[in-house]
């Protein structure tokens, strides 16, 4: 069993800023870490200098030469039909959870499909029922909260709290400009949008539901 799974998904990111954002959320040690590349995420893993353990997906958007190199390197390749009912990220999350991961970091390189990016965040949020989940994209860091999470950043950084899958109750915060105490938020409400850090670390706790803490960064 592994304690942490790093999943790379999305496009071949080349900008220094985005790569630095991803790298900042990777585990400090390679011990007990499993790296899973979801289809084109193989290119992102290469850019992040990660040793991939498993490549999974229908492999319709990854460079065939990269796949050949992965096979030659002994990477476990799990190819699925293009007619599958799950996204490549969904398959990668299933592998991470089946391997016993207690913390999952999804590095989503995005691309030109907003529907894919939105689906990726929501699919990852579902996995938070079984593990602590963080989604890092080229534009934001999303911490999925099902009980309590610490949020780190610089004073003045934006933090938006968004409920998903239903009502979130018992929300309490410290370290944010607009503090919440035993509050509730419902999907579709803008009340949690554009809060901000007043300290380098904030804490958000909830009693029921699933809450996304979105930090766009500067």
């Amino acid at each position: 069993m592994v304690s942490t799974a790093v999943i790379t998904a999305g496009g071949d990111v080349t900008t220094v800023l985005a790569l630095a954002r991803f790298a900042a959320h990777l585990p400090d040690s390679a011990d007990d870490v499993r790296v899973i590349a979801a289809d084109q995420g193989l290119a992102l893993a290469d850019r992040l200098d990660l040793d991939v353990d498993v490549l999974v997906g229908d492999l319709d958007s990854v460079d065939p030469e990269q796949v050949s190199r992965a096979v030659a390197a002994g990477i476990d390749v799990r190819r699925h039909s293009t007619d599958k009912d799950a996204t490549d990220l969904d398959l990668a999350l299933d592998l991470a959870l089946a391997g016993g991961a207690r913390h999952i970091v999804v590095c989503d390189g995005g691309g030109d499909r907003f529907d894919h990016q939105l689906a990726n965040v929501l699919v990852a949020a579902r996995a938070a029922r079984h593990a602590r989940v963080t989604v890092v994209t080229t534009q934001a860091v999303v911490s999925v909260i099902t009980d309590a999470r610490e949020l780190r950043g610089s004073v003045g950084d934006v933090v938006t709290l968004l409920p998903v899958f239903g009502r979130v109750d018992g929300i309490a915060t410290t370290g944010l400009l607009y503090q919440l105490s035993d509050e509730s938020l419902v999907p579709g409400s803008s009340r949690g949008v554009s809060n901000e850090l007043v300290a380098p670390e904030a804490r958000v706790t909830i009693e029921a539901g699933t809450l996304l803490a979105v930090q766009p960064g500067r």
Side-chain angles (χ1 to χ4, degrees):
M1 296 178 66
V2 297
S3 61
T4 302
V6 174
I7 298 175
T8 55
D12 183 8
V13 177
T14 58
T15 64
V16 173
L17 180 61
L19 290 171
R21 187 194 302 274
F22 291 130
H25 289 83
L26 296 178
D28 293 330
S29 171
D31 296 338
D32 297 324
V33 174
R34 188 185 194 194
V35 178
I36 304 171
D39 204 288
Q40 196 180 8
L42 184 63
L44 179 56
D46 182 62
R47 291 290 298 168
L48 292 171
D49 197 26
L50 294 174
D51 294 326
V52 175
D53 296 296
V54 184
L55 170 63
V56 65
D58 53 25
L59 309 187
D60 65 342
S61 57
V62 64
D63 186 339
E65 291 187 5
Q66 284 189 308
V67 176
S68 296
R69 289 196 294 270
V71 172
I75 293 173
D76 182 8
V77 178
R78 312 278 185 96
R79 188 188 294 268
H80 291 254
S81 168
T82 55
D83 295 328
K84 64 189 187 308
D85 293 328
T87 64
D88 296 323
L89 177 60
D90 213 348
L91 296 172
L93 287 164
D94 284 345
L95 284 176
L97 293 173
R102 296 187 297 274
H103 181 204
I104 299 174
V105 179
V106 177
C107 298
D108 185 0
D112 58 358
R113 291 284 301 274
F114 173 74
D115 56 336
H116 278 183
Q117 294 179 47
L118 181 59
N120 281 352
V121 171
L122 295 178
V123 165
R126 281 289 188 193
R129 292 174 295 178
H130 309 288
R132 186 178 64 157
V133 176
T134 305
V135 181
V136 187
T137 77
T138 57
Q139 297 180 320
V141 176
V142 182
S143 301
V144 186
I145 305 171
T146 56
D147 44 27
R149 290 291 295 266
E150 279 71 41
L151 309 176
R152 296 176 178 83
S154 300
V155 173
D157 281 359
V158 170
V159 176
T160 285
L161 302 178
L162 296 175
V164 291
F165 312 136
R167 179 187 177 104
V168 178
D169 293 317
I171 305 170
T173 67
T174 59
L176 295 181
L177 179 60
Y178 307 108
Q179 293 201 32
L180 300 177
S181 177
D182 195 23
E183 303 281 348
S184 297
L185 290 175
V186 296
S189 168
S190 62
R191 185 162 178 239
V193 175
S194 294
N195 211 322
E196 64 182 65
L197 292 174
V198 293
E201 182 174 298
R203 181 176 174 83
V204 180
T205 62
I206 68 173
E207 293 181 357
T210 303
L211 189 67
L212 305 183
V214 184
Q215 296 176 262
R218 297 185 177 182

